[in-house]
Amino acid sequence: MPQYIQFSDHDVIPTDAHHFHLYWGDDREALLDEVENWPTYYPSNMNEDEIAHEMTAH
């Protein structure tokens, strides 16, 4: 189990997230740096066309 998990939904106000990113690891400083791998999670009810559209608009 990682020591740190970082959640990012790009918003600074309470709102529904259209997608989000999770980062995890044991090095807190590394999680705060710009990362090269952006695991992105979408709602399970989105189809592949909707996800592709979201990714290209992101």
Side-chain angles (χ1 to χ4, degrees):
M1 183 63 127
Q3 187 173 4
Y4 298 99
I5 297 176
Q6 178 179 325
F7 173 88
S8 175
D9 66 356
H10 304 287
D11 292 309
V12 294
I13 59 171
T15 187
D16 291 338
H18 297 285
H19 73 271
F20 60 91
H21 307 278
L22 292 177
Y23 315 98
W24 51 86
D26 294 326
D27 183 345
R28 184 175 182 271
E29 291 298 319
L31 289 178
L32 296 175
D33 287 338
E34 186 69 30
V35 295
E36 295 177 11
N37 182 17
W38 289 66
T40 305
Y41 300 85
Y42 291 93
S44 61
N45 63 344
M46 289 181 75
N47 67 39
E48 59 271 8
D49 293 329
E50 293 170 320
I51 292 172
H53 175 71
E54 283 288 317
M55 292 182 82
T56 56
H58 181 48

